[in-house]
Amino acid sequence: MITVNEHYSKLQASYLFVTIARKIKDFQEQHPDVDLIKLGIGDVTKPLPSACIDAFKKGVEEMADEKSFRGYGPEQGYSFLREAIARNDFRDLGIEAEDIFISDGAKCDTGNFQELFSTNSRVAIPDPVYPVYVDTNVMAGRSGVWKDGRYEGLHYLEANSENAFIPAPLNEKVDLIYLCFPNNPTGQVASHDQLARWVEYARENKALILFDAAYETFIRDDSLPRSIYEIPGAREVAVEFRSFSKTAGFTGTRCAFTVVPRECRAYTSDGEAVNLQPMWNRRHSTKFNGVSYPVQRAAEAVYSPEGKKQVRELSDYYLGNAAIIRKNMEALGFTCIGGENSPYIWVDGRRDSWDFFDLLLSAGVVVTPGSGFGRCGEGYIRISAFNDREKVLAAMERIKSSLA
Amino acid sequence: MITVNEHYSKLQASYLFVTIARKIKDFQEQHPDVDLIKLGIGDVTKPLPSACIDAFKKGVEEMADEKSFRGYGPEQGYSFLREAIARNDFRDLGIEAEDIFISDGAKCDTGNFQELFSTNSRVAIPDPVYPVYVDTNVMAGRSGVWKDGRYEGLHYLEANSENAFIPAPLNEKVDLIYLCFPNNPTGQVASHDQLARWVEYARENKALILFDAAYETFIRDDSLPRSIYEIPGAREVAVEFRSFSKTAGFTGTRCAFTVVPRECRAYTSDGEAVNLQPMWNRRHSTKFNGVSYPVQRAAEAVYSPEGKKQVRELSDYYLGNAAIIRKNMEALGFTCIGGENSPYIWVDGRRDSWDFFDLLLSAGVVVTPGSGFGRCGEGYIRISAFNDREKVLAAMERIKSSLA
């Protein structure tokens, strides 16, 4: 008899976006004349940079000619892209092309990486959090059942106003630590010192940090670390995930990468060190077959002189939106986090997350209730800067009128 | 301490293609003047059909304009593609668009699907075999250690000349059964009756069949089943994997799909039936973020009138090569399987696989030793029809002269 992986039955249905969709539908039925402004979802709205479009098209044209046609590529990605990433994103950080594995998304990579570890690893996960880290560990059997809004057996790193939404290392011992800066959903960014404390914890406790830097492109404060490898000693204890999704509008085009430094290690149960790079290479080449060749060419163009300029303009545009949102919400008396080096603004609503959501919906603006990201998100909302400037301005006017 | 998934240490390094590469390198150093003809790898050589190129480019252009730009798409794939597949590939087979999950490769899907099942499932795997089925189950802990050329704990379905390379169901009980027709590496195709016996076995034993139909496009004999769903009762007990890789030359473009019929079931340990479709949907939407939009448009074009014609011409071309290879090898006195409804010809070399490989290499032709696909492949070689006609003809001349 074929029996299922019963850990799946522990998974809670994700009611967050389902509930939002239902509330929007109800509202639209009652107010068919209102054109809702959506600042809820973390998806980009601006088209691909023209440098990427040109390279993408050229890649497609190569597939039309027998002489330039490409079949199976290297599972790890083409050298032209791995080298461009190493040279541009990790110069002087000790990361080389062979440490970089190209994939079709940071969601896949952050979801898949836990496969390399034993199922009894103790997992530390932020709260509030991007749900993929949690769900993939539940599927793998690293949690107990759902109880009082949390999975038993997981170690939650509570982020709240007391620690400025940057959790410090725990007193208890954990093995696998998920961190995300600039953070989704709070928009907060850890300093060098704060990351250094985590690296120190990982080194002392033989733990591993999975560092999600998918929003790195929005960092404008040069004193903030863009990569965990800016922290000395991190290469032995940290894997970093990056993506072209937010950097260059690739959410529908699909390209990302994971950095597994050759020094990075875990251990056998006997305590013998094991390099993770060959293990990830084996996993990646056994269960993945490379990213579409024209897509890799489009991603490479992000690093061309025009690409760099266009990508900077894109993130400047969304950061301009974020500044408008934060300024307006603060002027209305709300305490905000994020929005300065991040496309997300995390607003203390001083009331139940869903009540605030309902209030803003009645004003014609959709946001995301913070409680959907975890228990510590209760009382907050996340406002996304991914929309057109005029819609952001109109949304702020609506919120102002509604709260006046 | 972060400890590794120790099942990875059971994995055998894949020496097959490494050894082939080394032998080729040695040969080329000794014979720098010989232009080797490679009939070893299962990768296509002809460019994408022009219908796909046009749709691909149009998809890229849509990404350049704010009005037509697409961000995150549905993880399961766009309806336009799921509906085209259901309508064209599964008409009258009871499969609908919602049963179809678009992905970036059949390698990923066949590798990932086992995650849905308990780690103590008993797994039946053909020999010879495409190594991904084996390796992903070893990684998941469903095997013992490697011993005498096989993993302990796996159930090997032996394919040999006695059963015409189509293994019948076992007398012992297994839970998860991997089948692939047209087969890689043997090129053999199961009949309706032979598949019906497997479906009957699965129904009687509450087992599940994972049916890899990546080479379906090469079937020309209309009496042969193209889909396992042609067998009555299969929808409850079988998942089918398909790909655009060989159908339309997408090996470097990346698009495939998995069919999980809504009737398809597994069981809890208490014997309660569980529908697999919502489980796979949860897995797919948690760990995957959809295929690149322009790639999905290119795949959709496979089903346009021009696309269908061009795709047929592609497979006709490779089948023409296959017929030449089989005819020539038979004329030289070798017994062959495949090559009629498949791009692979499985040749009984009447000697050690590597000896035959070496002999053909010395003639300037690269093939794949059958022993690399499993113990039952010993004595055979696989010749691939994926190359240019003139090279195939030249290769046959070289082999003839060498064996004369």
Side-chain angles (χ1 to χ4, degrees):
Chain A
M1 184 175 76
I2 178 73
T3 54
V4 293
N5 173 349
E6 296 201 1
H7 301 302
Y8 272 63
S9 66
K10 298 176 196 159
L11 286 168
Q12 298 304 297
S14 175
Y15 289 117
L16 178 64
F17 290 103
V18 175
T19 309
I20 292 174
R22 183 178 50 73
K23 282 177 178 269
I24 289 174
K25 189 164 166 277
D26 291 350
F27 179 85
Q28 290 286 33
E29 279 169 12
Q30 285 161 33
H31 307 88
D33 50 318
V34 176
D35 186 17
L36 282 177
I37 300 174
K38 296 182 183 176
L39 302 179
I41 299 171
D43 195 4
V44 299
T45 57
K46 304 292 272 182
L48 289 190
S50 67
C52 299
I53 290 287
D54 293 344
F56 205 166
K57 272 197 214 165
K58 196 157 164 283
V60 173
E61 272 157 22
E62 286 179 55
M63 301 300 258
D65 183 340
E66 193 149 356
K67 287 186 201 69
S68 51
F69 176 78
R70 307 254 188 159
Y72 291 121
E75 289 100 345
Q76 300 84 351
Y78 279 102
S79 296
F80 62 75
L81 181 55
R82 300 171 86 191
E83 282 164 12
I85 291 167
R87 203 165 48 235
N88 287 279
D89 287 346
F90 298 98
R91 183 191 293 275
D92 303 328
L93 296 179
I95 300 298
E96 289 172 24
E98 77 251 30
D99 301 327
I100 291 162
F101 295 80
I102 310 298
S103 83
D104 66 328
K107 182 179 177 179
C108 320
D109 287 342
T110 54
N112 291 332
F113 209 86
Q114 48 76 31
E115 283 181 34
L116 300 194
F117 308 107
S118 68
T119 50
N120 55 16
S121 304
R122 294 162 296 185
V123 181
I125 286 183
D127 177 356
V129 73
Y130 175 57
V132 169
Y133 315 151
V134 180
D135 290 356
T136 54
N137 276 291
V138 174
M139 289 170 168
R142 291 195 192 87
S143 79
V145 296
W146 178 259
K147 200 177 161 194
D148 302 332
R150 285 187 170 173
Y151 290 100
E152 292 190 326
L154 295 183
H155 299 254
Y156 288 88
L157 303 171
E158 302 205 339
N160 48 44
S161 59
E162 283 165 41
N163 58 20
F165 291 89
I166 298 179
L170 300 161
N171 286 323
E172 53 195 353
K173 283 200 186 251
V174 294
D175 307 314
L176 193 60
I177 302 153
Y178 288 82
L179 296 177
C180 173
F181 295 109
N183 189 261
N184 176 17
T186 69
Q188 187 57 291
V189 191
S191 68
H192 273 89
D193 282 354
Q194 287 162 330
L195 280 191
R197 251 169 277 153
W198 276 109
V199 169
E200 192 190 343
Y201 175 92
R203 295 181 68 94
E204 279 177 4
N205 293 283
K206 296 188 172 179
L208 186 78
I209 298 169
L210 299 183
F211 189 74
D212 185 346
Y215 294 91
E216 169 274 338
T217 198
F218 296 100
I219 295 178
R220 288 293 179 276
D221 178 347
D222 285 336
S223 76
L224 294 169
R226 290 163 192 278
S227 164
I228 196 158
Y229 304 119
E230 295 182 31
I231 313 301
R235 290 204 304 275
E236 289 81 3
V237 297
V239 166
E240 183 164 308
F241 304 100
R242 294 247 190 137
S243 169
F244 296 99
S245 284
K246 309 303 156 80
T247 309
F250 272 50
T251 53
T253 298
R254 315 302 312 137
C255 197
F257 59 92
T258 291
V259 186
V260 189
R262 76 212 79 93
E263 302 93 334
C264 193
R265 88 293 169 266
Y267 300 88
T268 65
S269 52
D270 297 337
E272 195 188 334
V274 179
N275 284 332
L276 284 177
Q277 192 181 85
M279 278 189 79
W280 182 245
N281 188 55
R282 184 70 193 241
R283 194 275 168 209
H284 202 64
S285 55
T286 300
K287 297 195 184 181
F288 184 67
N289 227 338
V291 169
S292 185
Y293 169 71
V295 170
Q296 291 192 60
R297 283 294 186 196
E300 181 193 21
V302 166
Y303 299 104
S304 67
E306 310 76 44
K308 284 181 187 174
K309 190 170 156 284
Q310 292 164 2
V311 157
R312 176 78 182 200
E313 283 164 5
L314 264 184
S315 54
D316 278 346
Y317 181 86
Y318 293 126
L319 283 170
N321 289 347
I324 290 165
I325 294 167
R326 179 156 176 169
K327 195 184 79 181
N328 277 276
M329 295 308 287
E330 285 184 335
L332 287 165
F334 294 102
T335 303
C336 298
I337 294 280
E340 287 174 329
N341 297 284
S342 155
Y344 297 128
I345 300 92
W346 187 245
V347 183
D348 183 353
R350 300 187 308 255
R351 72 202 87 190
D352 178 273
S353 288
W354 280 108
D355 287 348
F356 203 20
F357 173 90
D358 289 337
L359 179 66
L360 298 183
L361 181 62
S362 71
V365 179
V366 180
V367 298
T368 313
S371 55
F373 297 101
R375 200 194 276 171
C376 292
E378 179 51 47
Y380 293 83
I381 56 161
R382 185 190 77 175
I383 308 183
S384 161
F386 292 120
N387 212 323
D388 299 331
R389 179 67 47 86
E390 57 185 301
K391 289 197 178 166
V392 168
L393 290 167
M396 292 303 111
E397 286 309 311
R398 289 183 186 186
I399 293 175
K400 263 191 270 185
S401 314
S402 142
L403 295 175
Chain B
M1 183 176 76
I2 179 73
T3 55
V4 293
N5 173 348
E6 296 201 1
H7 301 302
Y8 271 63
S9 66
K10 298 175 195 158
L11 286 168
Q12 298 305 298
S14 175
Y15 290 118
L16 177 63
F17 289 104
V18 175
T19 309
I20 292 175
R22 184 179 49 74
K23 281 177 178 271
I24 289 174
K25 188 164 167 280
D26 290 350
F27 179 85
Q28 289 285 33
E29 280 170 11
Q30 284 160 34
H31 307 86
D33 51 318
V34 176
D35 186 17
L36 282 177
I37 300 174
K38 295 181 183 176
L39 302 179
I41 298 171
D43 194 4
V44 300
T45 57
K46 304 290 272 182
L48 289 190
S50 67
C52 298
I53 289 287
D54 293 345
F56 204 166
K57 271 197 215 165
K58 196 158 162 283
V60 173
E61 273 157 22
E62 286 180 54
M63 301 300 257
D65 182 339
E66 193 148 357
K67 289 188 199 66
S68 51
F69 176 78
R70 307 253 188 160
Y72 291 122
E75 288 101 345
Q76 301 83 354
Y78 279 101
S79 296
F80 62 75
L81 180 55
R82 300 171 86 190
E83 283 164 11
I85 291 168
R87 204 165 49 237
N88 287 279
D89 287 346
F90 298 98
R91 186 190 291 276
D92 303 327
L93 296 180
I95 300 298
E96 290 172 24
E98 78 252 30
D99 302 326
I100 290 162
F101 294 80
I102 310 299
S103 82
D104 65 327
K107 181 179 178 182
C108 319
D109 288 343
T110 54
N112 292 331
F113 210 85
Q114 49 76 30
E115 283 181 34
L116 300 193
F117 307 108
S118 68
T119 50
N120 54 17
S121 304
R122 294 162 297 186
V123 181
I125 286 182
D127 178 357
V129 73
Y130 174 56
V132 170
Y133 315 151
V134 180
D135 291 354
T136 55
N137 276 292
V138 173
M139 288 171 172
R142 293 196 191 85
S143 79
V145 296
W146 178 259
K147 199 177 162 194
D148 301 332
R150 284 186 171 175
Y151 290 100
E152 291 191 326
L154 296 183
H155 299 254
Y156 288 88
L157 303 171
E158 301 205 338
N160 49 44
S161 58
E162 283 165 40
N163 58 18
F165 290 89
I166 299 180
L170 300 161
N171 286 323
E172 53 195 354
K173 284 199 185 253
V174 293
D175 308 312
L176 193 59
I177 302 152
Y178 288 81
L179 296 177
C180 172
F181 295 110
N183 188 262
N184 177 16
T186 69
Q188 186 59 292
V189 190
S191 69
H192 273 90
D193 283 354
Q194 286 162 328
L195 280 191
R197 250 170 277 155
W198 275 109
V199 169
E200 192 190 343
Y201 175 91
R203 295 182 68 93
E204 280 178 3
N205 294 283
K206 298 190 170 176
L208 185 78
I209 298 169
L210 299 183
F211 188 74
D212 186 346
Y215 294 90
E216 170 275 340
T217 199
F218 296 99
I219 295 179
R220 286 294 179 275
D221 178 345
D222 285 337
S223 77
L224 294 170
R226 291 164 192 277
S227 165
I228 195 156
Y229 305 119
E230 294 182 33
I231 312 303
R235 290 204 303 275
E236 288 81 2
V237 297
V239 166
E240 183 165 309
F241 303 100
R242 294 245 192 139
S243 171
F244 296 99
S245 283
K246 309 300 156 80
T247 309
F250 272 48
T251 52
T253 298
R254 314 302 313 139
C255 198
F257 59 92
T258 290
V259 187
V260 190
R262 75 213 80 93
E263 301 93 335
C264 194
R265 88 295 168 267
Y267 300 89
T268 64
S269 52
D270 297 337
E272 195 188 333
V274 178
N275 284 330
L276 285 178
Q277 192 182 85
M279 276 189 80
W280 181 246
N281 188 56
R282 183 72 192 240
R283 194 273 169 210
H284 202 64
S285 55
T286 299
K287 296 195 185 180
F288 184 65
N289 228 338
V291 170
S292 185
Y293 169 72
V295 171
Q296 291 192 61
R297 284 294 185 197
E300 182 193 21
V302 166
Y303 299 103
S304 67
E306 310 75 46
K308 283 179 188 173
K309 189 170 157 284
Q310 292 163 3
V311 158
R312 176 77 182 200
E313 283 165 6
L314 263 183
S315 53
D316 278 346
Y317 180 86
Y318 293 125
L319 283 169
N321 289 347
I324 290 166
I325 295 166
R326 180 160 175 165
K327 197 186 78 185
N328 277 278
M329 295 308 288
E330 286 183 336
L332 288 166
F334 294 102
T335 303
C336 298
I337 296 279
E340 286 174 331
N341 298 283
S342 156
Y344 297 127
I345 301 92
W346 187 245
V347 184
D348 183 352
R350 299 188 307 256
R351 70 200 89 188
D352 178 273
S353 287
W354 280 109
D355 287 348
F356 203 20
F357 172 90
D358 289 336
L359 179 65
L360 297 183
L361 180 63
S362 70
V365 179
V366 180
V367 298
T368 313
S371 55
F373 298 101
R375 200 193 278 171
C376 292
E378 178 50 48
Y380 293 83
I381 55 162
R382 185 190 78 175
I383 308 183
S384 163
F386 292 122
N387 212 324
D388 298 332
R389 181 66 46 87
E390 57 184 302
K391 289 199 178 164
V392 167
L393 290 167
M396 292 303 112
E397 286 309 311
R398 291 183 184 185
I399 292 174
K400 262 191 271 186
S401 316
S402 142
L403 295 175

